[in-house]
Amino acid sequence: MTFRHPVLQFTARRLLAAALVVLAVSALTFSFIHLAPGGPEQTIAGRFATPEQLEGIRDSYGLDDPLPAQYADYLVHAVRLDFGNSISTREPVVTAMQDRLGVTAPLILGSFVLICILGTGLGTLAAYRKGSGLDRFLVGVAVTGASAPAFATAIILVFVFGVQLGWFPTFGDGEGLADRARHLVLPVIALTLVGVASMLKITRARVAQVLQEDHVTFARARGLRPSYIVGRSVLRNAGIQVVTQSGVILLALVAGGVLVEVTFGLNGVGALFIKAIEARDIPVIQAVSLLITLFIVLVNLAVDLLYFALDPRVRAQPAGARA
Amino acid sequence: MPTLFGSNGWTRLRRFVQLAGVAVLAVLVAACGGSSRSADQNTDAKSSGGSPASGQSIDELTVVVPVMSDALDTTKASVGSLGTLLLGLEPLMRYGPDQELTPNLAESFEQDGATTYRLKLRGGVKFWDGSPLTTDDVLASIAVHRTKGTASFIAGQWADVKSVRETAPDELTIRLSRPNPQFVYALAQTGIFSKAFAAKHGDQLGSPRVLTMGTGPYRFESFTPSSKAVLVRNEDYWGERPRVGRIETRVIADDSNRLLALQSGDVDAIIGIPLSQTKTFSRIPDFKVSDTVDYSVYKFNFELDKKGWDDIHLRRAFAHTVDRKALAGGVLGGAAPATTLVPPSIMEGLLPKDEVAAAYEQLGSTLPAFDLKRAKAELAQSRTPKGLKTTLLVAGSDPNLSALAQTVAQNAKKVGIELDIKQVDDNTYFNAVYFKHTTDGLSIDNYGSDGPDPVNIPNNALNSATALPGGSGINIADFRDRGIDELFARGARLEADDPARGPLIIEALKRSAAELPYVPIAYPRLYMGLKKDYAYDGFSTFWWLNRWPDQIAASAS
């Protein structure tokens, strides 16, 4: 109980801070949308709309109401998870996001899992073989992958595996589970290739460092199995940095995923967001911003909580020292 | 937010990515399509394929289209986006590839005087759910464009309608408040939907999970807003059996992805190949690119009430810096230099070819020619003899605008007119250029007609009624001339195909040219690509008004 209590305290404090961050971001987003030139009424009524039509639309959506009143109205609905309907497509925003998450979630999470597995696995291998040909090869491949812009990687992948070999579709997100999975193979690989390098490098550096530490030498001297040493001594000690990096990568994948979605013609949350910004589709912009903010906050919180799980020294610190 | 790729300047980045991607691809395509023919050899200005094997069914067709609506709703679509929508929600009148309007859901159509139209509804037509088409459905389908405060894209086309009434069983009478020969085309752009279905789904009508209910030859199976629609053959269609079993229309926004999709063979046809990519597309093996005249014009616009640009000498000075021939041939890849707002081939719908040629020659002589010396001389006579610096907005969605602007900027700078070109998103661009007229006074756009009538662009660009503050602002120059308004009014009292309208339009174009509210640059061509297995009979700039999938057939050649 003495262990759990500070964790709960920490979590509560972070959740409170997260709520304030979400509130601040939503207010800023709201202000920026209204400060931007143009408005949703132009998207709604098209290029030939008369001033009378535009005024009527602004009136019907309450776009000329005072901003604080509009924001308060938004907040009241948002806390009930009611984000209204998209101004441009008319579908409920929550439905639109659910549909788009069916593309974005597997794309981001699939890439993330691959990056974690490949990055930590190959990074550990490279650290164990530091200075060898294998080490140089792995680092070289990773750096090449990270250096190539995602769009170039994507195009080459599509050209080779889509056009020349015909193994995978070249565009779109497919219908049904199997078709969707087929459509996401190349986007996931493209995103993984870009992200795996940073995970490999941090793992390699940290594992190589830990391998020099006394407790690993003692573990080897005691004749413990190498797999046990890697799992219990090496990776656990390298874990804090790896977990920190994984959080950074996961958030970066959200941003990188937008570009990959556009390049592969995927109808994911990123593509929805870009379209909403272009159309000044306020309900969608607000909801997606909120989703991304929440995701960032929760990932950071999860990373912090993982520190507790990985490192007993962190658990032992007084709560105030971590805030 | 941390990012692997950087997140600043999204629009510029995306454009860069697209351009770089296309560059990479062009190399790949060139490398792998070595045996294909050259662009010039592959581009056929007249035909769109071999001889079509008429009547032959096609199981599936995947077509990349330039634009798609945000909802399957007739109020949310115009021009290109109608190309998908009207396949399901068919109109009362159908505009055919022969450029003729023929009754469709209307069994007959007659005009009674300049302002009255009578339509008899076709009997025995059923919606996809089996319910019969009634006049109530038609009235409801028209009402959404006419009700006060409507947000319909095509509300302007119904603006002159005074009343729509059922005057006999299955007969509708439409009365206009004033003559408008363009109105008949509204009947070809207005899809008819089920009133009961619309009432049941309210404001969700046309959304992806609701779709819509029509009588058309193809019914919607799925829809992703502004991205993809899947249509399947309506086996119970009242008319000629639809030729294609399943059609997937798609928008692929990314230039390189679009090219790869075509190269992979996943796509059968593309309508609206970007002008910058026509040569690359024509190198794709087993793929044929063809083109047709587009009823649109690239032009510079002067807001005539803006300081500086209210001076004819400054306008003429700038016009002299525009090398239309070089821009049309270079930047726009073989477009025709423009002499006025309407392509001559469109005017030939009303006037004999030789008369159009003579009129256009005269119009061309009125337009300031590319001549930097004369530009300097005109500038010296203006109220800004030392020149000026002005911001010119370009929309990221049309890279030609930026390319044209940058080319002209180099010449304009030589005479003292400095253009600060800013790329902005479409909403910002449309807001400043069309809706609010808040540019510095100079803008550039590609204005396409929203209907086949030759008066469409001249009327929109020159009639006082379309200027701000009362009009839509599509008259970007806010040009006002009572004499020209009267010419349009006189033309409106004539029937759509009356050749007497031609000289009136020409006269309006000539009179406005003296004031130089616009500098026409070029008439682009519309490009279409098709697998060589197919032929597209009668492809035209108004493909979106046609029942176009039924014009595509397995090629006999």
Side-chain angles (χ1 to χ4, degrees):
Chain A
M1 201 61 200
T2 49
F3 151 64
R4 280 188 176 179
H5 191 247
V7 175
L8 288 175
Q9 264 190 344
F10 173 80
T11 308
R13 216 171 33 244
R14 289 298 300 268
L15 284 174
L16 186 67
L20 291 174
V21 168
V22 169
L23 198 67
V25 170
S26 75
L28 279 174
T29 311
F30 198 84
S31 309
F32 287 153
I33 301 168
H34 286 83
L35 283 173
E41 69 274 19
Q42 295 165 12
T43 306
I44 296 168
R47 193 167 59 159
F48 303 99
T50 62
E52 193 184 8
Q53 262 186 299
L54 297 177
E55 196 181 323
I57 295 164
R58 290 191 68 82
D59 188 50
S60 67
Y61 281 92
L63 296 173
D64 290 326
D65 293 348
L67 275 190
Q70 289 187 53
Y71 182 62
D73 187 50
Y74 159 73
L75 278 184
V76 167
H77 288 88
V79 293
R80 292 181 296 202
L81 295 180
D82 174 12
F83 296 98
N85 291 350
S86 158
I87 288 177
S88 57
T89 69
R90 293 182 176 178
E91 61 184 332
V93 174
V94 173
T95 308
M97 289 208 300
Q98 277 173 353
D99 290 347
R100 304 302 182 102
L101 275 171
V103 174
T104 301
L107 172 66
I108 302 293
L109 296 179
S111 307
F112 180 66
V113 169
L114 276 178
I115 287 169
C116 288
I117 293 171
L118 291 174
T120 51
L122 296 177
T124 307
L125 187 63
Y128 267 88
R129 301 278 188 273
K130 195 175 178 186
S132 69
L134 180 67
D135 175 34
R136 283 195 291 274
F137 172 75
L138 288 174
V139 172
V141 168
V143 170
T144 307
S147 306
F151 73 86
T153 311
I155 289 168
I156 291 168
L157 285 172
V158 173
F159 186 75
V160 174
F161 296 103
V163 177
Q164 294 296 315
L165 298 173
W167 291 356
F168 299 105
T170 51
F171 64 95
D173 39 47
E175 288 162 14
L177 196 62
D179 195 31
R180 172 72 49 88
R182 246 183 101 237
H183 278 79
L184 286 179
V185 170
L186 295 182
V188 165
I189 292 174
L191 212 47
T192 303
L193 282 176
V194 181
V196 79
S198 60
M199 181 61 96
L200 186 151
K201 280 165 70 182
I202 193 81
T203 308
R204 176 183 172 275
R206 183 62 189 136
V207 167
Q209 208 175 15
V210 175
L211 285 174
Q212 304 299 318
E213 290 175 6
D214 291 344
H215 62 93
V216 177
T217 309
F218 285 131
R220 281 173 172 158
R222 285 167 61 200
L224 294 174
R225 277 180 292 115
S227 60
Y228 182 86
I229 297 172
V230 172
R232 292 301 297 265
S233 289
V234 178
L235 284 181
R236 194 156 185 191
N237 273 282
I240 294 278
Q241 284 79 7
V242 173
V243 165
T244 305
Q245 189 63 19
S246 68
V248 172
I249 287 174
L250 187 53
L251 299 183
L253 287 176
V254 175
V258 176
L259 197 60
V260 168
E261 281 182 14
V262 172
T263 307
F264 281 95
L266 301 173
N267 290 302
V269 175
L272 177 75
F273 195 42
I274 297 297
K275 179 81 174 70
I277 291 170
E278 287 172 350
R280 306 290 190 271
D281 194 339
I282 296 168
V284 176
I285 297 173
Q286 286 285 72
V288 177
S289 307
L290 188 67
L291 180 73
I292 293 172
T293 311
L294 278 173
F295 184 71
I296 291 169
V297 165
L298 291 176
V299 166
N300 282 318
L301 180 62
V303 167
D304 287 345
L305 291 175
L306 275 173
Y307 291 164
F308 284 104
L310 285 170
D311 194 340
R313 289 167 300 183
V314 179
R315 292 197 293 269
Q317 280 178 18
R322 286 184 300 270
Chain B
M1 188 190 310
T3 166
L4 289 173
F5 318 105
S7 59
N8 292 332
W10 167 255
T11 306
R12 271 174 295 161
L13 172 66
R14 193 172 54 168
R15 193 67 224 144
F16 167 75
V17 166
Q18 287 183 346
L19 289 174
V22 169
V24 171
L25 261 183
V27 173
L28 293 175
V29 169
C32 298
S35 62
S36 61
R37 293 180 295 170
S38 75
D40 291 342
Q41 286 170 320
N42 236 5
T43 302
D44 182 349
K46 299 292 177 193
S47 153
S48 302
S51 321
S54 61
Q56 197 172 334
S57 286
I58 297 172
D59 292 338
E60 284 191 41
L61 211 52
T62 301
V63 183
V64 173
V65 292
V67 65
M68 195 173 293
S69 56
D70 290 332
L72 294 174
D73 185 325
T74 56
T75 65
K76 305 279 286 178
S78 67
V79 196
S81 53
L82 285 170
T84 296
L85 197 69
L86 292 179
L87 298 178
L89 304 179
E90 56 181 341
L92 291 162
M93 304 286 288
R94 183 72 84 172
Y95 186 76
D98 55 358
Q99 301 180 16
E100 293 290 332
L101 276 171
T102 51
N104 190 57
L105 283 182
E107 195 172 59
S108 63
F109 166 84
E110 62 181 57
Q111 186 171 353
D112 184 3
T115 57
T116 302
Y117 300 85
R118 288 201 177 81
L119 299 110
K120 185 162 178 58
L121 201 59
R122 189 177 296 279
V125 177
K126 289 184 175 171
F127 286 102
W128 304 320
D129 63 0
S131 60
L133 171 74
T134 67
T135 48
D136 278 351
D137 296 307
V138 177
L139 288 169
S141 301
I142 291 172
V144 293
H145 308 289
R146 296 187 60 232
T147 48
K148 192 173 166 54
T150 178
S152 169
F153 281 22
I154 59 168
Q157 299 187 26
W158 287 90
D160 289 334
V161 173
K162 189 166 68 180
S163 66
V164 184
R165 291 206 176 90
E166 185 176 7
T167 44
D170 292 336
E171 184 190 270
L172 289 178
T173 300
I174 300 172
R175 291 183 204 282
L176 308 189
S177 54
R178 59 179 176 179
N180 179 359
Q182 291 194 77
F183 169 71
V184 289
Y185 299 110
L187 297 171
Q189 297 188 38
T190 304
I192 304 299
F193 56 81
S194 159
K195 183 185 176 185
F197 188 85
K200 182 180 173 188
H201 295 285
D203 63 2
Q204 298 292 299
L205 180 69
S207 60
R209 293 197 182 184
V210 171
L211 303 180
T212 188
M213 183 62 63
T215 60
Y218 299 94
R219 65 178 169 80
F220 293 100
E221 191 178 73
S222 69
F223 173 66
T224 306
S226 64
S227 176
K228 176 185 161 189
V230 177
L231 302 100
V232 292
R233 180 190 288 131
N234 174 10
E235 298 290 355
D236 301 320
Y237 187 58
W238 57 268
E240 190 183 335
R241 186 172 190 263
R243 184 174 285 177
V244 186
R246 183 179 186 275
I247 305 166
E248 184 175 315
T249 56
R250 270 194 168 275
V251 173
I252 302 180
D254 185 74
D255 284 354
S256 46
N257 193 239
R258 192 188 306 119
L259 185 54
L260 283 166
L262 267 294
Q263 241 198 328
S264 69
D266 293 343
V267 170
D268 300 302
I270 173 171
I271 296 172
I273 299 171
L275 297 177
S276 58
Q277 283 190 295
T278 52
K279 285 187 179 174
T280 313
F281 272 77
S282 63
R283 291 192 190 105
I284 299 175
D286 301 322
F287 201 73
K288 187 176 176 67
V289 172
S290 56
D291 64 332
T292 183
V293 65
D294 192 6
Y295 188 4
S296 78
V297 61
Y298 277 98
K299 60 184 169 60
F300 283 104
N301 317 293
F302 302 117
E303 287 178 34
L304 300 179
D305 56 353
K306 288 283 167 70
K307 194 178 173 187
W309 300 106
D310 56 355
D311 183 345
I312 182 72
H313 292 295
L314 178 61
R315 299 201 295 275
R316 290 186 66 83
F318 180 78
H320 278 303
T321 69
V322 179
D323 187 349
R324 290 187 296 280
K325 197 174 171 186
L327 293 170
V331 177
L332 297 176
T339 46
T340 186
L341 298 170
V342 191
S345 56
I346 300 293
M347 281 305 299
E348 285 165 12
L350 278 178
L351 290 172
K353 206 169 182 174
D354 55 338
E355 281 185 38
V356 173
Y360 272 63
E361 196 175 332
Q362 200 181 343
L363 281 162
S365 65
T366 319
L367 198 57
F370 173 60
D371 187 333
L372 295 185
K373 278 186 185 171
R374 290 171 71 183
K376 282 179 185 166
E378 283 285 355
L379 192 65
Q381 293 180 61
S382 74
R383 292 198 303 275
T384 49
K386 291 182 180 173
L388 82 169
K389 184 176 179 181
T390 190
T391 300
L392 182 63
L393 300 182
V394 293
S397 61
D398 184 352
N400 295 317
L401 295 179
S402 176
L404 290 168
Q406 287 181 40
T407 309
V408 172
Q410 290 175 31
N411 288 326
K413 193 175 182 179
K414 290 176 187 167
V415 302
I417 301 172
E418 200 173 329
L419 303 184
D420 178 17
I421 300 162
K422 280 190 179 166
Q423 185 171 305
V424 293
D425 70 279
D426 281 9
N427 203 299
T428 304
Y429 172 85
F430 279 81
N431 184 57
V433 175
Y434 293 115
F435 294 115
K436 303 270 175 68
H437 295 186
T438 52
T439 67
D440 283 357
L442 176 71
S443 62
I444 180 171
D445 76 327
N446 174 27
Y447 186 72
S449 169
D450 64 334
D453 196 288
V455 82
N456 188 289
I457 292 181
N459 185 65
N460 281 339
L462 300 171
N463 200 321
S464 305
T466 56
L468 289 182
S472 66
I474 212 77
N475 176 349
I476 299 170
D478 285 324
F479 177 77
R480 289 180 179 82
D481 183 312
R482 285 187 182 176
I484 289 177
D485 290 348
E486 177 52 29
L487 287 171
F488 287 132
R490 279 169 57 194
R493 287 192 283 273
L494 304 171
E495 289 200 15
D497 55 356
D498 191 330
R501 293 174 63 220
L504 295 171
I505 298 170
I506 294 286
E507 181 60 20
L509 292 170
K510 283 181 183 171
R511 285 177 63 165
S512 67
E515 287 298 313
L516 202 64
Y518 305 100
V519 181
I521 304 168
Y523 309 120
R525 295 187 72 80
L526 180 65
Y527 287 83
M528 187 271 297
L530 194 66
K531 277 184 181 172
K532 284 182 178 165
D533 302 343
Y534 298 108
Y536 186 148
D537 190 25
F539 173 65
S540 82
T541 183
F542 297 109
W543 64 273
W544 44 275
L545 286 173
N546 305 159
R547 204 174 120 182
W548 56 268
D550 296 272
Q551 293 165 240
I552 297 175
S555 176
S557 58

